[in-house]
Amino acid sequence: MDDDIAWVGEQLAEICPGESVVEVGAHPAGWSRLPANARLWRAGGVVAKLHSADASHEHLSARLAVAADPRAAGILLAPLEPAARKAPSGRLLTLWPRVEPVDPTADPLPWDALGDTVARLHSLPVEGHLPAADPRARARRAVAQVPDPTQRALLEQVLAGVPDDVPASIVVHGDLHLGQLGQVGQRGQPGHLGTHATNGSQPGQWLLLDIDDLGRGHPVADLARPAALWAVGLLADEDWTRLLAAYRRRSPGLLPPDEHLWEHLDPPARMALVILTAQALRHEEDAEIIRRLLSACTRITQTHAPDLGP
């Protein structure tokens, strides 16, 4: 790993001469944490991501192709290079323009921008070898990292009760939350793309970040995490409504009607609940948040509730 870190520094020094190289341990605004073994650095207007050791070269290449496609302009942040570089260990490195993440203290938070942007993502054509989204595998990996065996067993029980995914072929983000939304800054601000501008992004534009879970799936899969947060009382009704309304304005026919929405949302929302709970437990998040998440999991298993929704 030390050889890889030195090599990343060399790459960034070549791309951004004279700029300090700073490692970022998680999403810059603290929205979520990086996948296991992934590392992130920034230098000037460039961000370098060293992907997990088990990242698939084929899958990452397919995801980079989608992000670099001009049809994704104004939807996905485009990479600075169309292909990943290989570190000395063989791990993959991708390079990105720096943008400004959502400020968690902003009022209001840009739920409408998230809904609109992901709806446009769902309209992109599926081409090439884009892999199928696999939220169940993500949930299993998250549960396996929960240190307490009793809590781990509870999450495994919730996950076991989730029916199989419904096959679909829409381009989905795979890990959608506000921390995956970045804004192109004004010239001179940290988020300005400067000489590294790609795909014609304009100042003030919101773009989706992080393509690690980009794949083929059902559009409701990208609403799963906000839906789970709303169902357990950690997302306000107003924010959930703004997200759905913005989505429907942009793509009115992609989601089921309101009276049938939750029956489609429930399975991915329960998987998202498992992932959220596992991450909160592993990283010892706020005690009240953990209590609410665990209570929701317990309710599902003890009452055999048919769904997570209210």
Side-chain angles (χ1 to χ4, degrees):
M1 175 60 78
D2 289 345
D3 288 345
D4 284 353
I5 293 172
W7 176 82
V8 171
E10 292 169 1
Q11 307 303 300
L12 288 173
E14 178 184 334
I15 298 166
C16 303
E19 296 283 1
S20 299
V21 177
V22 179
E23 182 167 10
V24 182
H27 273 282
W31 286 100
S32 68
R33 303 180 189 274
L34 289 167
N37 302 318
R39 305 281 288 271
L40 199 68
W41 292 264
R42 66 170 180 257
V46 174
V47 173
K49 182 171 185 177
L50 189 65
H51 294 259
S52 300
D54 60 354
S56 163
H57 188 277
E58 179 185 2
H59 290 173
L60 182 57
S61 296
R63 289 163 174 150
L64 286 169
V66 175
D69 191 315
R71 289 172 292 186
I75 301 173
L76 288 167
L77 180 66
L80 294 175
E81 296 177 342
R85 300 187 181 195
K86 276 196 176 182
S89 68
R91 291 175 66 173
L92 302 171
L93 181 83
T94 52
L95 300 169
W96 305 87
R98 183 180 173 190
V99 294
E100 282 299 287
V102 174
D103 179 357
T105 65
D107 186 17
L109 289 166
W111 287 104
D112 46 357
L114 187 67
D116 179 80
T117 308
V118 75
R120 287 187 289 128
L121 174 73
H122 292 169
S123 70
L124 291 178
V126 178
E127 296 178 350
H129 301 285
L130 191 65
D134 195 351
R136 189 179 296 274
R138 290 186 63 241
R140 288 189 184 122
R141 289 194 297 269
V143 171
Q145 295 171 348
V146 173
D148 184 279
T150 302
Q151 294 170 336
R152 190 166 60 247
L154 171 64
L155 297 182
E156 288 170 345
Q157 187 177 354
V158 175
L159 190 57
V162 179
D164 290 337
D165 304 335
V166 177
S169 289
I170 296 290
V171 178
V172 296
H173 183 275
D175 184 24
L176 190 76
H177 54 85
L178 279 177
Q180 307 288 32
L181 198 62
Q183 191 170 39
V184 180
Q186 302 294 329
R187 185 171 299 278
Q189 293 181 347
H192 180 63
L193 299 179
T195 58
H196 305 293
T198 56
N199 265 6
S201 299
Q202 300 299 316
Q205 193 167 39
W206 289 105
L207 301 169
L208 291 172
L209 317 177
D210 187 2
I211 61 168
D212 282 5
D213 296 294
L214 197 73
R216 294 177 286 108
H218 195 285
V220 295
D222 274 339
L223 301 180
R225 177 167 167 152
L229 291 172
W230 173 71
V232 301
L234 293 174
L235 178 64
D237 290 350
E238 178 184 356
D239 292 335
W240 173 241
T241 300
R242 286 172 56 213
L243 173 69
L244 284 181
Y247 188 105
R248 291 191 189 281
R249 280 194 301 271
R250 176 66 64 172
S251 297
L254 275 182
L255 292 180
D258 285 342
E259 60 268 27
H260 299 297
L261 179 61
W262 196 263
E263 65 189 71
H264 294 272
L265 259 178
D266 177 59
R270 276 191 275 171
M271 278 191 278
L273 173 66
V274 168
I275 294 170
L276 284 164
T277 308
Q279 291 173 340
L281 290 168
R282 182 185 174 204
H283 299 294
E284 300 180 346
E285 301 287 358
D286 180 82
E288 175 59 18
I289 291 176
I290 290 176
R291 185 193 68 77
R292 290 196 185 196
L293 293 171
L294 286 174
S295 293
C297 292
T298 302
R299 177 172 67 87
I300 289 172
T301 59
Q302 288 186 345
T303 64
H304 304 289
D307 57 48
L308 173 63

